[in-house]
Amino acid sequence: NLNLQAGVRYEFSDIDIMHGLEVTNQYDCFLPSVSGQYKLGKKHNFRLNYRKSVTRPSVNQLSPTSYSDDPYSQSQGNKDLEPAYNNRLEFTHRYQIVGPMYVSYRPYINFIRNGIQNITLESTDSVQRKKYSKVQGYKVNQRQDVYF
């Protein structure tokens, strides 16, 4: 009735941008994950998951050169951006109603370090000027599903 799984992944990246100003970033990290599942009788299934993930800044997000997505907005990268790390903890309760029909409830929380966000600096001459910045925070959410 109890099932446990654990793992770890190692990632390495090396980014070199040669456009105007040279930007070089190297990142490495271990990304663990742990999952536990417990079945209570035939109708209840409980699961607890933890995982760490990484989102690396793109070339546009790192490049200090301005670029336009459209005539009304102009974005500029930030050479000081670091990878964004997300630690997610998730609990799921699944209740089997009958046959293939079930209901599940899934609250989760994300803790974000060095999140990347495009922030508006100023708007003049009907052009928005934006720059990528680091943000910290967390997000609490939930999801309910009903399947037939």
Side-chain angles (χ1 to χ4, degrees):
N1 288 346
L2 181 63
N3 181 12
L4 297 173
Q5 294 181 340
V8 66
R9 187 174 80 235
Y10 174 77
E11 290 191 10
F12 174 81
S13 65
D14 186 5
I15 301 170
D16 291 314
I17 301 172
M18 308 286 205
H19 190 268
L21 179 68
E22 182 177 343
V23 177
T24 302
N25 289 315
Q26 286 186 343
Y27 311 113
D28 67 334
C29 59
F30 287 96
L31 303 169
S33 64
V34 178
S35 177
Q37 180 178 335
Y38 179 72
K39 292 184 180 181
L40 181 64
K42 294 182 178 182
K43 298 213 176 244
H44 295 275
N45 188 348
F46 300 94
R47 184 182 297 249
L48 185 63
N49 295 316
Y50 164 78
R51 79 168 189 250
K52 182 176 183 178
S53 61
V54 62
T55 303
R56 289 176 187 75
S58 69
V59 171
N60 282 345
Q61 292 169 334
L62 285 170
S63 177
T65 305
S66 295
Y67 64 93
S68 294
D69 291 325
D70 57 57
Y72 305 105
S73 68
Q74 190 175 56
S75 294
Q76 180 179 353
N78 180 347
K79 66 179 180 63
D80 296 322
L81 289 178
E82 297 174 9
Y85 294 98
N86 182 33
N87 290 282
R88 181 178 176 128
L89 184 62
E90 176 180 283
F91 172 78
T92 304
H93 175 214
R94 178 175 162 171
Y95 176 73
Q96 197 75 32
I97 298 169
V98 64
M101 294 173 45
Y102 69 86
V103 175
S104 71
Y105 175 68
R106 185 182 313 172
Y108 61 88
I109 185 165
N110 288 326
F111 295 95
I112 302 164
R113 185 174 55 122
N114 295 332
I116 300 169
Q117 187 172 358
N118 201 358
I119 297 175
T120 300
L121 299 175
E122 59 184 75
S123 295
T124 57
D125 302 330
S126 70
V127 175
Q128 282 188 334
R129 287 175 178 70
K130 301 176 182 181
K131 184 172 185 172
Y132 288 96
S133 281
K134 293 190 283 188
V135 293
Q136 311 294 333
Y138 66 93
K139 176 182 177 183
V140 177
N141 212 334
Q142 65 183 355
R143 177 178 168 176
Q144 299 89 22
D145 299 312
V146 178
Y147 291 96
F148 299 95

